[in-house]
Amino acid sequence: MSVYSMTGYASGQNGPAGTPPETDPRPLAAGRLGVEIRSVNSRFLDLTFKLPEDLRPYEPVLREMLTGRLKRGKVELRAAVESTAQGGVAEPSTRLLQRLNGVQDGIRAWLPSARELSVADVLRIAAGDSTSAGDWGSIVADVTRKALDGLVEAREREGARLAAMLKDHLGQLRKLTTQAVPLVPQLVEQQRTRFLERWQDAMGLTGGTLPEAAQDRALNEATAFAIRIDVAEELTRLGSHLDEIERLLKKGGEIGKRLDFLIQELHREANTLGSKSAALEMTRIGVDMKVLIEQMREQVQNIE
């Protein structure tokens, strides 16, 4: 399954792009319908609709379509109708004119004083007839589906790019972990030796010798200090988190929230690594890790 970003944009319209209204094979109402969908990152699925009044009745249908395909993100759907009649005037069909003529004859048979329909009356009726709800039903669904397909494809492409960047960062973090692992026993032994030497120097300054009990205490103190600076456990947990992130990226789907949690755990381990560091090289590794993890955090925040 693919990794999806929450960032994307797509649009759609009824009829092939660039098709003149009079040659468009699709049944048009009073204009050409255009739909734009854009999305950015969000903790939840937040939908906003900006529709003309004629399309307001279709908002529940559009909402159902979006929730069926998208799981997270701040999504805005904007629809607009562009008039296809010259000068914005809807031309009445022959069938409509015949129907109006028949209706007018029937009314005047009962109401001889009723006035005849004017051209303005006919055009107004034609405009209302062409924008009736029945004309827009399938068009709204089809155009929105076209735009939604484009949005999902755009989010998938962006998600693939983010996944590739995360995998590259995982590789760099693994290299840093590999560099840190052999430093751990060296640092522990180095600190124990240094602690004991300082204890012996202190005893030498007093002119005394180092009793066996004092030497044991020095070793215990050195061991306790070495335990406090031992980062082997942090490196093990960090490697485990890297394995889990890699597994999730291969799995795909709705992994954004899980990745965000794991990034927090990585940051915690890197912070502990830095605070326990007793050598300049280990400090450098910890800083490099935190820089990479922060970059990963920014990328993960855009993953669905």
Side-chain angles (χ1 to χ4, degrees):
M1 189 177 297
S2 301
V3 175
Y4 291 91
S5 169
M6 287 185 283
T7 302
Y9 170 84
S11 63
Q13 63 179 10
N14 55 324
T19 302
E22 61 272 14
T23 62
D24 190 343
R26 298 288 306 271
L28 297 179
R32 187 184 302 280
L33 173 66
V35 173
E36 293 183 346
I37 310 177
R38 65 184 74 241
S39 68
V40 294
N41 61 313
S42 176
R43 293 184 60 190
F44 308 101
L45 183 59
D46 182 8
L47 303 179
T48 302
F49 297 89
K50 296 186 177 180
L51 308 172
E53 287 301 320
D54 291 339
L55 302 183
R56 282 293 175 189
Y58 300 102
E59 182 173 327
V61 176
L62 299 178
R63 184 178 296 274
E64 183 177 354
M65 293 177 66
L66 265 60
T67 54
R69 301 284 300 277
L70 308 175
K71 303 305 178 184
R72 290 179 64 198
K74 183 176 178 60
V75 183
E76 178 186 283
L77 185 149
R78 184 187 298 267
V81 177
E82 178 185 359
S83 174
T84 58
Q86 293 183 354
V89 178
E91 182 177 350
S93 64
T94 302
R95 182 179 178 183
L96 176 61
L97 291 174
Q98 291 173 343
R99 189 166 73 246
L100 289 176
N101 188 55
V103 171
Q104 178 177 249
D105 290 345
I107 292 175
R108 297 195 67 189
W110 287 92
L111 301 172
S113 61
R115 71 176 181 84
E116 295 183 354
L117 288 170
S118 66
V119 174
D121 293 334
V122 174
L123 292 177
R124 185 167 58 251
I125 294 172
D129 180 73
S130 63
T131 56
S132 62
D135 290 335
W136 284 117
S138 61
I139 297 177
V140 171
D142 289 348
V143 174
T144 301
R145 189 176 298 109
K146 182 190 301 184
L148 187 54
D149 288 343
L151 178 69
V152 172
E153 291 175 2
R155 287 165 59 124
E156 183 177 7
R157 289 193 299 270
E158 179 65 13
R161 188 183 69 84
L162 292 174
M165 294 175 65
L166 287 172
K167 289 177 181 179
D168 179 68
H169 284 20
L170 288 177
Q172 295 182 55
L173 284 172
R174 290 190 187 281
K175 289 181 180 179
L176 290 173
T177 303
T178 302
Q179 295 174 15
V181 168
L183 294 177
V184 175
Q186 298 176 15
L187 290 174
V188 171
E189 183 60 32
Q190 177 182 335
Q191 289 300 321
R192 290 183 57 175
T193 302
R194 183 180 303 172
F195 200 92
L196 185 58
E197 288 176 351
R198 289 180 178 177
W199 189 286
Q200 291 174 338
D201 290 343
M203 294 299 295
L205 291 175
T206 62
T209 59
L210 189 64
E212 184 176 349
Q215 185 174 359
D216 290 341
R217 181 181 176 185
L219 288 174
N220 290 335
E221 291 289 341
T223 301
F225 182 76
I227 292 175
R228 289 198 298 272
I229 68 168
D230 187 1
V231 294
E233 186 176 349
E234 284 75 13
L235 291 174
T236 299
R237 286 198 297 265
L238 194 145
S240 177
H241 297 328
L242 295 179
D243 291 340
E244 179 63 12
I245 292 175
E246 187 171 7
R247 186 189 70 82
L248 289 173
L249 291 175
K250 291 180 179 179
K251 174 185 175 183
E254 302 170 41
I255 60 175
K257 292 183 178 180
R258 179 65 178 169
L259 286 176
D260 188 58
F261 170 76
L262 289 170
I263 292 298
Q264 294 179 32
E265 293 301 304
L266 283 180
H267 200 273
R268 190 196 315 276
E269 302 303 338
N271 275 336
T272 305
L273 189 69
S275 64
K276 284 187 172 183
S277 175
L280 183 61
E281 181 64 16
M282 188 67 77
T283 300
R284 182 194 64 78
I285 291 175
V287 171
D288 290 345
M289 282 184 173
K290 286 194 283 187
V291 171
L292 287 170
I293 293 169
E294 188 59 33
Q295 293 174 353
M296 293 175 69
R297 185 201 301 276
E298 296 176 1
Q299 295 155 7
V300 164
Q301 288 176 351
N302 285 320
I303 293 180
E304 185 176 56

